C-alpha cells in the first residue's frame, strides 16, 4: 500500500500559541493511527488541518499526492465532501434531521442522496430501527454510531475521529471501538485521537504530541 | 434533501420565524391596503370630486356668478349649442344645467327667484340638503324649493303656498322642500327654469349654464376650448381652483401613501432583520457542521434564501388578503366609499414582501464567515 498522507514540517500558529510545531509524519493507506498527547498538545489542531477545516501556517500537507495547504475555501469544501469522514467527540448531528436524514445530508453535499444506501449504512452500525429518530431521541452511543455511519457514507479516503469515545460510557465505547476495528479490517485509513491507551493499542501505530511537537512515533508490532 | 432540510429548519425555528411572519403579514396587510387605496384613489377621487358641483360656467360676457341680479341673458339657440357640445361622447360632461335669476317680490319683501332644471339639482349640487321633497320633474310649474332664510322670513314650510310677483306678473307657488346649503341658495327660491322664464318675460333666455366636467384639469381645459369655439359670443370660464385642488390633493395623497408604504416596508425589514440576526446566531453551529461536511456556501445560502423567500411569500399572501379587508374597512370608515381590492396588488405585495424578507435576511450572510473549525470546538 502506498503513502496516503504526508505531513512535512507542518506548523500552526494561533496568535502567540504554537499549536503545532514542525510536525512531520506519513500515513500509509489502510493504516490505523492513534494520536495521543495531553490536553492542549495540538491533537484537534492536527485533525482539523488534515480534514481541511483549518490551514497550516507553514509546511505541507499532502493527501493522495495533493497539497491541501494552498487550496481555496471552495476547493477545501470539495475536499472535505469527497475525501474525509469526520467523527467528533460531541457527535455534531443536525438536531432537526432524523438519523437517516443526517446521513443523507453528507450524501447531498457529496453528490446525490440515496436513502437506501443511507439506511444500509445505519444498519451496519446497528441502527436500522432508529433511522427515523431525531438525535434528541437517541442515546449518546447511538448518536455517535450515526456519525460513524455518516462518516462512512461517501467512502472517504480518510476517516478522522477526534476522541470519538470521549463522551461515551464503557458499553457504548466498546460498540464504537469495535466499529473502528471493523472499518480498519476493511482497509479504511483511520486517524483517531484518544486518551485511552487501551484503544490506542488497537491501532497500527501511535503518534504522541507534546506542546505541538511530535514526541514519539511508535510502531506496534502486530 | 433540500426540502427536508428546509422543512426541518422551519420546524426547528418556528418560534422565531413566527415572529418574523407576523411582522411580514402586518407589513403586507398595511402596505397592500395602502396600495389598494392608492390605486383606487384616483378613480375614486375624480368621481368624488365631480359631486362637488360645476367646474365650468358659461355666461354672457362680463357678468359675474349666478348671484348677479337681473343679469343679461342669452337665448335658446346658444343653449342648444351648449347642450349639443356637452352631450358629445368625448366631452366628459357628467351633468349640466341652465340658470336664470329674477328679483321678485313676495309679501312686501324681495326674493331672488332662481330658475333651473330642478331634476338636475341633486347631481349638480349634491351637498344641498332638502327638508321635505325635491322637485323631480323639470316641467313642474307649481312646486319650488325655498331657501332656509326665505322660509324663515316668509314663515313657509313644506306644503304651504305663497305668491310671487315681478313686473306686474303674478304666480302662485307651493313649497315642496326647504333648502339649506350654507350658501347663497339659503336666500333664494328655486323654481323650474320655465317658471322663472315666464315671470321674467325673457322667452327661452337663460342667465348662465353650469357644467360639470369629470376628470383632470387638462380635460376640463379641453372642454372649455371646444365649447368657447362653438359659442364665441359667450364667456366660458373654468372654475380652475376646483380642478387644481383636486389634482393637488390627489398627488399629496399619493405621496403620503407611498411614503407610508415605504416606512412600513422599512419597519418590516427591520423586524425581520432583528429576528434573522438572532436566528443566524442560533444556527452557527449547524452551519459550521454543514460546512465541515462539505456543504458549499452558495448551497447553504440558497437554503436560507428559500426559507426566507417562502416566509415572505406566505406572509405576503396572507397579508394582502388581510390588506384587502383592511382597505375595504378604511374605505367604509374613513372615506365612506367602497374601496375594492385590486388584483395586481396581490402579486405586487408578495414580491415586495419577498424582497423585504430577503433584505431583512442579510444577517444570514454573517454565516458565510462561520469557521467550522471554531464552531466545532464549541466556539
Ligand atoms: N482558534 C484558536 N485560537 C487560539 N488558540 C487556539 C485555537 N485553537 C486551539 N488553540 C490552542 O492551540 C493549542 C492546541 O489546541 P488543540 O485543541 O489542538 O489541543 P488538543 O490536543 O486537541 O487538546 P484536548 O485534548 O484538550 O482536546 C491549545 O493551546 C489551544 O489553546
Ligand atoms: Mg481536542
Amino acid at each position: 500500500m502506498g503513502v496516503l498522507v504526508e505531513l512535512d514540517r507542518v506548523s500552526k500558529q494561533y496568535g502567540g500559541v504554537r499549536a503545532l510545531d514542525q510536525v512531520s509524519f506519513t500515513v500509509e493507506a489502510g493504516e490505523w493511527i492513534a494520536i495521543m498527547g495531553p490536553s492542549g498538545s495540538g491533537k484537534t489542531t492536527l485533525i482539523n488541518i488534515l480534514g481541511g477545516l483549518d490551514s497550516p501556517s507553514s509546511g505541507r500537507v499532502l493527501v493522495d499526492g495533493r497539497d491541501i495547504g494552498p487550496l481555496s475555501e471552495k476547493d477545501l469544501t470539495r475536499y472535505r465532501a469527497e475525501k474525509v469522514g469526520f467523527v467528533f467527540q460531541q457527535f455534531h448531528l443536525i438536531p432537526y434531521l432524523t438519523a437517516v436524514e443526517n446521513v443523507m445530508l453528507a450524501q447531498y453535499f457529496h453528490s446525490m442522496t440515496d436513502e437506501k444506501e443511507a439506511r444500509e449504512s445505519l444498519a451496519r452500525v446497528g441502527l436500522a430501527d432508529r433511522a427515523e429518530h431525531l438525535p434528541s431521541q437517541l442515546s449518546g452511543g447511538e448518536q455517535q454510531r450515526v456519525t460513524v455511519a455518516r462518516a462512512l457514507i461517501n467512502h472517504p479516503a480518510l476517516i478522522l475521529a477526534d476522541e470519538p469515545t470521549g463522551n461515551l460510557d464503557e458499553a457504548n465505547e466498546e460498540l464504537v471501538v469495535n466499529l473502528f476495528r471493523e472499518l480498519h479490517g476493511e482497509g479504511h485509513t483511520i486517524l483517531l485521537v484518544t486518551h485511552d491507551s487501551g484503544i490506542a493499542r488497537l491501532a497500527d501505530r501511535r503518534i504522541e504530541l507534546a506542546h505541538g511537537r511530535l514526541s514519539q512515533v511508535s510502531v506496534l508490532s502486530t | 434533501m433540500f426540502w427536508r432540510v428546509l422543512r426541518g429548519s422551519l420546524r426547528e425555528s418556528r418560534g422565531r420565524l413566527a415572529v418574523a411572519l407576523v411582522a411580514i403579514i402586518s407589513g403586507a396587510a398595511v402596505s397592500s391596503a395602502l396600495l389598494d387605496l392608492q390605486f383606487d384613489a384616483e378613480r375614486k377621487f375624480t368621481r368624488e370630486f365631480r359631486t362637488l358641483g360645476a367646474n365650468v360656467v358659461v355666461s354672457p360676457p362680463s357678468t359675474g356668478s349666478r348671484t348677479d341680479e337681473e343679469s343679461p341673458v342669452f337665448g335658446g339657440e346658444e343653449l342648444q349649442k351648449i347642450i349639443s357640445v356637452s352631450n358629445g361622447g368625448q366631452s366628459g360632461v357628467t351633468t349640466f344645467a341652465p340658470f336664470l335669476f329674477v328679483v321678485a317680490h313676495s309679501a312686501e319683501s324681495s326674493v331672488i327667484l332662481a330658475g333651473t332644471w330642478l331634476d338636475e339639482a341633486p347631481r349638480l349640487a349634491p351637498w344641498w340638503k332638502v327638508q321635505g321633497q325635491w322637485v323631480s320633474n323639470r316641467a313642474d310649474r307649481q312646486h319650488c324649493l325655498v331657501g332656509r332664510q326665505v322660509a324663515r322670513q316668509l314663515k313657509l314650510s313644506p306644503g304651504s303656498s305663497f305668491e310671487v310677483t315681478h313686473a306686474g306678473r303674478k304666480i302662485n307657488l307651493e313649497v315642496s322642500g326647504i333648502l339649506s346649503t350654507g350658501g347663497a341658495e339659503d336666500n333664494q327660491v328655486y323654481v323650474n327654469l320655465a317658471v322663472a322664464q315666464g315671470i321674467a318675460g325673457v322667452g327661452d333666455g337663460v342667465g348662465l349654464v353650469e357644467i360639470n366636467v369629470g376628470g383632470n384639469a387638462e380635460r376640463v381645459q379641453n372642454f372649455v376650448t371646444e365649447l368657447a369655439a362653438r359659442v364665441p359670443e359667450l364667456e366660458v370660464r373654468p372654475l380652475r381652483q376646483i380642478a387644481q385642488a383636486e389634482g393637488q390633493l390627489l398627488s399629496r395623497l399619493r405621496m403620503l401613501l407611498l411614503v407610508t408604504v415605504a416606512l412600513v416596508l422599512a419597519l418590516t425589514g427591520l423586524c425581520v432583520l432583528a429576528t434573522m440576526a438572532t436566528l443566524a446566531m442560533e444556527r452557527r453551529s449547524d452551519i459550521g457542521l454543514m460546512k465541515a461536511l462539505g456543504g458549499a456556501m452558495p448551497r447553504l445560502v440558497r437554503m436560507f434564501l428559500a426559507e426566507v423567500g417562502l416566509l415572505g411569500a406566505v406572509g405576503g399572501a396572507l397579508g394582502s388578503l388581510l390588506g384587502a379587508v383592511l382597505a375595504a374597512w378604511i374605505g367604509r370608515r374613513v372615506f365612506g366609499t367602497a374601496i375594492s381590492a385590486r388584483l395586481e396588488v396581490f402579486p405586487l405585495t408578495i414580491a415586495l414582501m419577498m424582497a423585504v424578507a430577503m433584505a431583512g435576511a442579510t444577517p444570514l450572510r454573517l454565516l458565510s464567515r462561520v469557521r467550522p473549525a471554531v464552531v466545532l470546538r464549541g466556539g
Side-chain angles (χ1 to χ4, degrees), chain A residues 14 44-45 48 53-54 73 77 80-81 86 88 92-97 101 104-105 108-109 113 115 150, chain B residues 1-2 4-5 7-9 12 286 289-296 299-300 303 371-373 375-377:
Chain A
Y14 287 120
T44 298
T45 305
N48 285 348
L53 292 173
D54 223 334
E73 184 71 39
T77 305
R80 291 195 293 267
F86 287 104
F88 308 100
H92 290 304
L93 293 166
I94 301 289
Y96 51 81
L97 295 180
E101 285 171 343
M104 287 164 69
L105 190 63
Y108 177 61
F109 291 143
T113 56
E115 186 160 351
R150 181 180 68 190
Chain B
M1 199 63 218
F2 186 84
R4 290 192 193 219
V5 174
R7 202 180 47 198
S9 57
E12 174 83 356
D286 291 349
L289 173 62
M290 288 188 192
K291 277 186 168 180
L293 294 177
R299 196 170 221 171
L300 302 180
M303 281 189 192
R371 312 260 318 129
V375 171
L376 293 174
R377 274 177 199 272

Side-chain angles (χ1 to χ4, degrees), chain A residues 13-36:
Chain A
Q13 193 83 25
Y14 287 120
V17 182
R18 186 155 265 247
L20 286 180
D21 191 3
Q22 304 273 333
V23 173
S24 303
F25 67 89
T26 58
V27 181
E28 304 266 320
E31 247 191 321
W32 179 356
I33 308 240
I35 300 169
M36 301 195 72

